[in-house]
């Protein structure tokens, strides 16, 4: 993972730690204390279950080691097609979900692992609590679809998320993607305010 900081932000960075090729953390100093950002890249849904379980075990370890007196935020490609919120998931998912769940049957889908992990740490998927049109909810386009094509459940998905503690939800004003950004990726950058 590569870490770059805007020049004006460098003096606020207290630490950067890379734990693996899938996880790193950044500790930022502010006037009110410190907050942490974890960058995460989960294994694809079709990877072996042991790999996926190890990722969430490692993510829990990183979160536990991140010593801050402010919020801990997880940004990244969680490779979980969450689809629509189901009964009993309103503690983790908001009203603004997009897409369908993964179509390939696996023993334990990434969706289930992500939601279980969030519930165990009282975290929410902040993207789903911010009202946005579909064009700003989607964070990924399939290889056979162009980034500016009309949004559809077969061509687009939400895979990149901001996870925050439920107690911090009111501090997140907005989370959205930018389909107009030109990246060498099928993912769109996600911005949080």
């Amino acid at each position: 993972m590569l870490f770059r900081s805007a020049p004006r932000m460098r003096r606020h960075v207290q630490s950067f730690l890379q734990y693996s090729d899938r996880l790193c953390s950044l500790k930022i100093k502010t006037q009110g204390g410190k907050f942490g950002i974890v960058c995460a890249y989960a294994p694809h849904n079709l990877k072996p279950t042991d790999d996926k379980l190890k990722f969430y075990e490692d993510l829990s370890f990183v979160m536990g080691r991140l010593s801050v007196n402010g919020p801990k935020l997880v940004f990244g490609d969680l490779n979980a097609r969450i689809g629509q919120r189901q009964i009993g998931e309103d503690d983790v998912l908001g009203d603004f979900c997009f897409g369908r769940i993964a179509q390939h049957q696996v023993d334990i889908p990434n969706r289930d692992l992500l939601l279980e992990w969030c519930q165990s740490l009282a975290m929410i998927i902040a993207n789903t609590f911010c009202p946005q049109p579909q064009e700003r909810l989607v964070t990924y386009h399939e290889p056979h679809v162009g980034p500016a094509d009309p949004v559809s459940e077969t061509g687009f998905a939400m895979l990149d998320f901001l996870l925050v503690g439920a107690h911090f939800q009111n501090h997140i004003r907005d989370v959205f993607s930018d389909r107009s950004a030109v990246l060498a990726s099928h993912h769109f950058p996600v911005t949080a305010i």
Side-chain angles (χ1 to χ4, degrees), residues 133-148:
Q134 290 181 343
E135 291 77 20
R136 292 173 66 96
L137 287 175
V138 297
T139 66
Y140 171 82
H141 69 93
E142 298 290 347
H144 68 277
V145 175

Side-chain angles (χ1 to χ4, degrees), residues 5-19:
S5 170
R8 66 173 197 227
M9 286 297 298
R10 287 192 184 126
R11 65 186 173 98
H12 299 286
V13 174
Q14 183 177 13
S15 68
F16 171 79
L17 295 172
Q18 184 165 344
Y19 295 91

Side-chain angles (χ1 to χ4, degrees), residues 146-178:
D149 286 356
V151 173
S152 69
E153 288 190 355
T154 57
F156 293 84
M158 287 179 85
L159 298 178
D160 304 86
F161 302 110
L162 167 59
L163 312 178
V164 300
H167 63 281
F168 192 71
Q169 178 179 351
N170 293 336
H171 296 277
I172 303 297
R173 293 188 196 138
D174 208 356
V175 181
F176 55 90
S177 67
D178 182 2

Side-chain angles (χ1 to χ4, degrees), residues 49-65:
T49 300
D50 288 346
D51 292 355
K52 297 187 296 185
L53 292 172
K54 174 79 167 110
F55 169 79
Y56 281 101
E57 180 182 309
D58 291 347
L59 180 56
S60 293
F61 173 80
V62 170
M63 291 288 284
R65 285 204 44 167

Side-chain angles (χ1 to χ4, degrees), residues 177-189:
S177 67
D178 182 2
R179 292 196 313 147
S180 66
V182 179
L183 302 174
S185 171
H186 290 280
H187 294 262
F188 309 123

Side-chain angles (χ1 to χ4, degrees), residues 107-124:
D107 290 337
I108 305 174
N110 278 357
R111 180 190 197 281
D112 295 353
L113 291 170
L114 174 61
L115 294 182
E116 181 180 314
W117 187 84
C118 286
Q119 287 172 331
S120 74
L121 293 176
M123 296 190 83
I124 63 164

